[in-house]
């Protein structure tokens, strides 16, 4: 294993500081949910020399479990053989042994094809595979031809192999710190190299994300199951995937921690959608039925209809119409109910109706792959200012005006100093926990001047700081200021309130362009002849119309260049 290049401007053992910080952070905040083995790991780690800690961290930060001893080379670790001995004596690594029988393929993968050919030559020189054989095929042939002990002996004769220990404990420590499986230790690196400027938090006010061990175990379990699914679907037929999921689901049904439920519901939709694409309609339906989170109910209606369960599909349409979770559900329930009730094979959806009734403009066909740019040139030639806007200025407006409310540690949704997104950001809890603050802020922001003052002040103070809603680039503030100058405070409040009640859904679907001059303005949704209007885009058209915000859909007709 070659020595990796250290990031510029960081000390050689930068990763040691980060790892120790994570362990100390977890011990202080989560000791009450740790088991005996996890606490033993923390204590034993502290008893290692600094170099031994460093090599263990090097092992733990890799995606693999096994390492070739002779390939280890780290310039900041002075005596690797002595450090390996220390790790071995303290059970932080173990030599390749019979316990690793089921993982021999991982061990074999450490070696090159040429080395495997050498192993073959030593084991049975009269039976040699072709030199043109692919490495994976050669590994499979060796595993089939020779038993574990034979392969283990020949490998250890060539070079010692070790396996890192405490893998599950290290995984848990990182999970408790970050609160998920996708963030990793590189967050520290990009912070200290200045690539990302994180929001600053007083650590004494950070809250714990998991109150009980069950919260931890269930949330981690769902995350690991998602990862397992992503691997299995590449290797197994859908029938086996369905059986695997249902067997797991039966074991946890009704006993899952509320903390894990949002992730679990997303997982249900992911598995169901995959089965549906594999044409396993009944099986997909049975899994969709495990959740009501969008888009599960819509998919259930479609599957019920396709499976001939018309009455049940109709009843579910009515249920969705009574309490839609988002624009997709609202318009779908109306359209599909009409399709079923009128026994029509095809209906004109409300989004299609809105698109067909929209005005049309003519744009040169050279813009067929840049329809928004063509529309911008069209309106500028008419004497308007025109810029691409879509979701960004609305998101930036929300992020800047409510910055301190979004990242308020008193809400108990900020759990570590590198957190980019509050843990409740895409949950209904976001509005429920902050409604009083949001409404009070809007009450105070009763004029364009007041709103603009806060926006500009926050923009200057926070420039470059990561915010889930704010993109930093030249011209982003100007778009927000134009938006503020054209809308009344009441209109701005209405839009921001709508966004706050469902951040996952309502931060998208805004019109493509912002067009204005001294006398008028409009937000314009541009559609080429092959584009479709989404339910979310139609939602904002209706919402803007209801509150007097000038917005419209515009179709493009291509004209040939002269």
């Amino acid at each position: 294993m070659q020595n990796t290049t250290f990031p510029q401007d960081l000390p050689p053992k930068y990763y040691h500081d980060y790892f120790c910080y994570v362990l100390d952070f977890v011990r202080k905040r989560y000791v009450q949910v740790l088991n005996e083995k996890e606490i033993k790991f923390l204590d034993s780690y502290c008893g290692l020399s600094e170099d031994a800690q460093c090599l263990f961290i090097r092992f733990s930060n890799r995606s693999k479990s096994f390492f070739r001893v002779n390939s280890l080379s780290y310039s900041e670790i002075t005596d690797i053989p002595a450090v390996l001995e220390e790790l071995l004596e303290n059970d932080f690594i173990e030599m390749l042994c019979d316990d690793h029988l089921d993982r021999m393929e991982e061990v074999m993968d450490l070696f090159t094809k040429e080395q495997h050919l050498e192993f073959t030559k030593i084991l049975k020189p009269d039976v040699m595979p072709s030199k043109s054989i692919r490495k994976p095929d050669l590994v499979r042939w060796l595993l089939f031809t020779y038993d574990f002990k034979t392969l283990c002996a020949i490998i250890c004769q060539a070079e010692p192999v070790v396996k890192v220990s405490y893998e599950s404990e290290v995984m848990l420590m990182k999970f408790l710190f970050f609160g998920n499986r996708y963030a990793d230790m590189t967050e520290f690196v990009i912070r200290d190299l200045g690539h990302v400027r994180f929001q600053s938090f007083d650590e004494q006010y950070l809250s714990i994300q998991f109150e009980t061990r069950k919260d931890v175990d269930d949330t981690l379990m769902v995350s690991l199951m998602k990862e397992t699914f992503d691997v299995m679907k590449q290797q197994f037929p859908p029938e086996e995937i369905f059986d695997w999921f249902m067997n797991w689901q039966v074991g946890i049904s009704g006993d899952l921690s509320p903390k894990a439920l949002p992730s679990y519901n997303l997982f249900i939709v992911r598995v169901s959608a995959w089965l549906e694409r594999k044409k396993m309609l009944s099986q997909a339906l049975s899994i969709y039925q495990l959740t009501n989170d969008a888009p599960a109910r819509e998919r259930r209606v479609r599957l019920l209809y396709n499976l001939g369960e018309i009455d049940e599909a109709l009843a579910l349409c009515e249920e969705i119409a009574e309490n839609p979770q988002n624009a997709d559900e609202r318009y779908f329930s109306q359209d599909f109910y009409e399709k079923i009730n009128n026994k029509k094979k095809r209906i004109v959806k409300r989004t299609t109706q809105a698109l067909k009734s929209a005005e049309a403009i003519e744009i040169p066909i050279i813009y067929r792959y840049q329809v928004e740019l063509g529309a911008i040139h069209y309106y500028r030639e008419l004497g308007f200012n025109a810029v691409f806007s879509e979701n960004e200025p609305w998101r930036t407006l929300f992020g800047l005006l409510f910055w301190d409310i979004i990242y308020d540690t008193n809400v108990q949704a900020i759990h570590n100093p590198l957190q980019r997104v509050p843990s409740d950001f895409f949950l209904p809890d976001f509005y429920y926990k902050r409604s009083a603050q949001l409404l009070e802020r809007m009450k105070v922001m009763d004029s364009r001047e007041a709103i603009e003052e806060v926006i500009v002040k926050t923009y200057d103070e926070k420039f470059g700081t990561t915010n889930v809603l704010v993109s930093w680039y030249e011209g982003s503030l100007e778009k927000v200021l134009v938006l503020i100058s054209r809308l009344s405070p009441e209109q701005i409040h209405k839009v921001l309130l709508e966004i706050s009640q469902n951040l996952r859904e309502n931060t998208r679907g805004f019109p493509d362009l912002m067009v204005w001059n001294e006398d008028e303005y409009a937000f314009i949704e541009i559609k080429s002849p092959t584009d479709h209007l989404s339910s979310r885009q139609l939602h904002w058209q209706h919402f803007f119309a209801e509150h007097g915000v000038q917005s419209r859909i515009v179709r493009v007709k291509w004209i040939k260049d002269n």
Side-chain angles (χ1 to χ4, degrees):
M1 182 168 56
Q2 297 298 314
N3 185 16
T4 54
T5 303
F6 295 121
Q8 292 182 337
D9 303 323
L10 291 179
K13 292 183 178 179
Y14 67 97
Y15 58 90
H16 179 264
D17 295 336
Y18 301 153
F19 192 80
C20 291
Y21 175 82
V22 167
L23 297 192
D24 289 343
F25 186 95
V26 170
R27 186 193 283 271
K28 289 176 184 176
R29 287 166 171 77
Y30 290 105
V31 67
Q32 73 279 3
V33 302
L34 300 179
N35 63 33
E36 184 177 336
K37 188 178 179 184
E38 291 151 1
I39 292 174
K40 178 191 173 186
F41 159 70
L42 292 173
D43 293 339
S44 299
Y45 173 85
C46 291
L48 295 175
S49 67
E50 183 176 287
D51 275 359
Q53 290 178 350
C54 285
L55 187 54
F56 175 73
I57 296 166
R58 285 289 194 182
F59 288 155
S60 298
N61 283 343
R62 298 290 293 272
S63 59
K64 59 185 180 180
S65 302
F66 295 89
F67 300 88
R68 295 166 54 190
V69 167
N70 295 350
S71 302
L72 299 175
S73 176
Y74 295 110
S75 59
E76 78 279 13
I77 302 175
T78 55
D79 190 349
I80 286 181
V83 169
L84 284 168
E85 188 63 31
E86 181 181 351
L87 291 176
L88 192 60
E89 289 176 356
N90 289 277
D91 299 323
F92 277 78
I93 59 173
E94 57 187 13
M95 302 302 296
L96 181 63
C97 62
D98 292 348
D99 293 341
H100 309 135
L101 173 64
D102 295 333
R103 304 184 67 176
M104 196 58 187
E105 189 170 353
E106 294 178 58
V107 177
M108 302 284 281
D109 195 51
L110 298 176
F111 296 87
T112 66
K113 185 182 83 169
E114 288 70 25
Q115 288 171 311
H116 286 306
L117 287 171
E118 285 298 316
F119 296 157
T120 305
K121 186 175 181 181
I122 296 170
L123 288 166
K124 191 175 288 190
D126 56 327
V127 183
M128 285 290 294
S130 168
K131 289 186 178 181
S132 63
I133 188 173
R134 296 170 59 250
K135 178 184 171 181
D137 296 330
L138 177 56
V139 168
R140 280 193 292 270
W141 181 82
L142 285 166
L143 290 170
F144 177 79
T145 306
Y146 301 102
D147 61 25
F148 172 80
K149 287 186 179 297
T150 301
L151 292 174
C152 189
I154 196 71
I155 285 173
C156 292
Q157 181 181 334
E159 180 176 353
V161 172
V162 298
K163 178 191 172 295
V164 66
S165 304
Y166 290 116
E167 291 177 286
S168 61
E169 287 75 21
V170 171
M171 177 183 66
L172 182 75
M173 298 301 147
K174 293 178 181 178
F175 182 75
L176 287 172
F177 180 83
F178 291 109
N180 56 64
R181 286 274 295 154
Y182 52 82
D184 58 33
M185 303 300 285
T186 58
E187 294 288 275
F188 289 98
V189 176
I190 61 175
R191 177 198 66 183
D192 290 349
L193 289 178
H195 297 319
V196 172
R197 179 182 167 192
F198 287 93
Q199 170 71 20
S200 178
F201 301 110
D202 187 333
E203 288 193 20
Q204 67 176 316
Y205 297 117
L206 298 178
S207 61
I208 62 174
Q209 187 165 355
F210 307 102
E211 297 284 347
T212 67
R213 183 65 193 213
K214 184 169 179 56
D215 288 344
V216 178
D217 289 343
D218 287 0
T219 308
L220 179 57
M221 173 183 62
V222 174
S223 296
L224 293 173
M225 290 298 287
K226 289 180 179 178
E227 295 172 21
T228 302
F229 170 69
D230 288 338
V231 173
M232 289 183 65
K233 68 185 183 182
Q234 306 299 326
Q235 303 174 354
F236 297 97
E239 294 81 6
E240 291 187 31
I241 300 291
F242 173 74
D243 291 341
W244 163 80
F245 180 87
M246 294 304 294
N247 288 335
W248 168 71
Q249 192 277 328
V250 168
I252 56 96
S253 181
D255 190 40
L256 202 64
S257 164
K259 181 70 71 173
L261 282 175
S263 182
Y264 172 67
N265 289 328
L266 288 172
F267 185 35
I268 287 171
V269 172
R270 183 193 295 184
V271 175
S272 304
W274 183 79
L275 289 171
E276 191 176 353
R277 290 194 296 273
K278 297 297 181 180
K279 309 302 181 185
M280 296 185 64
L281 305 189
S282 297
Q283 293 87 342
L285 176 61
S286 66
I287 298 181
Y288 275 130
Q289 290 171 338
L290 298 173
T291 181
N292 282 327
D293 282 12
R297 295 193 298 179
E298 174 187 338
R299 300 313 309 168
R300 282 162 56 193
V301 170
R302 293 183 184 277
L303 288 172
L304 286 167
Y305 181 79
N306 289 336
L307 292 169
E309 303 291 341
I310 307 302
D311 291 342
E312 193 171 345
L314 196 61
L316 186 53
C317 260
E318 293 173 341
E319 178 186 314
I320 296 172
E322 289 176 4
N323 188 24
Q325 297 177 36
N326 56 31
D328 290 330
E329 283 201 338
R330 180 165 64 252
Y331 294 122
F332 164 78
S333 63
Q334 296 170 358
D335 291 339
F336 215 82
Y337 183 90
E338 181 180 323
K339 174 180 178 177
I340 297 174
N341 216 29
N342 295 338
K343 298 181 179 180
K344 293 180 180 179
K345 290 186 177 180
R346 292 183 61 85
I347 62 166
V348 181
K349 297 192 296 185
R350 281 158 176 78
T351 51
T352 305
Q353 293 174 24
L355 188 56
K356 285 185 175 181
S357 63
E359 67 173 281
I361 60 174
E362 293 184 338
I363 292 178
I365 198 169
I366 59 170
Y367 293 110
R368 62 185 176 278
Y369 302 122
Q370 295 177 298
V371 61
E372 292 88 358
L373 181 61
I376 287 173
H377 288 167
Y378 172 88
Y379 286 109
R380 286 177 177 174
E381 288 178 359
L382 294 179
F384 289 91
N385 298 293
V387 295
F388 182 75
S389 56
E390 203 173 23
N391 307 317
E392 195 175 272
W394 301 97
R395 291 165 59 93
T396 301
L397 172 61
F398 192 100
L400 293 175
L401 192 62
F402 301 128
W403 189 297
D404 55 327
I405 299 174
I406 293 171
Y407 291 102
D408 184 1
T409 53
N410 292 320
V411 178
Q412 298 190 328
I414 305 296
H415 314 295
N416 75 71
L418 303 181
Q419 194 166 333
R420 300 171 185 247
V421 184
S423 58
D424 65 348
F425 192 76
F426 294 114
L427 302 176
D429 286 356
F430 179 88
Y431 178 74
Y432 298 145
K433 290 179 180 178
R434 297 169 178 79
S435 58
Q437 291 175 277
L438 293 168
L439 294 172
E440 179 60 28
R441 176 66 50 83
M442 286 187 277
K443 182 179 179 182
V444 174
M445 299 293 102
D446 59 354
S447 68
R448 289 171 176 161
E449 292 74 20
I451 296 172
E452 182 176 317
E453 181 180 354
V454 171
I455 293 299
V456 173
K457 183 173 183 291
T458 306
Y459 184 91
D460 291 339
E461 290 179 353
K462 300 292 187 180
F463 185 82
T465 303
T466 183
N467 181 307
V468 63
L469 292 176
V470 179
S471 298
W472 303 108
Y473 68 93
E474 186 177 353
S476 63
L477 177 61
E478 286 69 23
K479 290 182 182 179
V480 177
L481 295 179
V482 169
L483 187 155
I484 294 170
S485 71
R486 293 304 187 269
L487 272 60
S488 70
E490 293 75 20
Q491 290 171 324
I492 293 172
H493 295 166
K494 291 292 186 183
V495 175
L496 295 179
L497 187 61
E498 180 74 1
I499 291 173
S500 70
Q501 292 175 350
N502 191 336
L503 285 157
R504 183 181 296 280
E505 297 290 341
N506 294 345
T507 51
R508 59 188 179 91
F510 288 96
D512 297 309
L513 307 183
M514 185 162 57
V515 176
W516 75 98
N517 60 21
E518 292 184 2
D519 302 318
E520 57 183 311
Y521 77 91
F523 297 99
I524 297 178
E525 184 66 47
I526 291 290
K527 292 297 178 185
S528 75
T530 57
D531 279 347
H532 299 282
L533 187 71
S534 74
S535 296
R536 179 55 44 189
Q537 291 165 344
L538 183 57
H539 164 77
W540 280 119
Q541 291 296 323
H542 288 171
F543 187 90
F544 283 162
E546 180 182 352
H547 298 287
V549 177
Q550 301 303 307
S551 184
R552 63 181 182 270
I553 304 164
V554 173
R555 293 181 294 113
V556 166
K557 291 184 177 180
W558 300 124
I559 56 174
K560 293 183 179 180
D561 301 331
N562 294 327

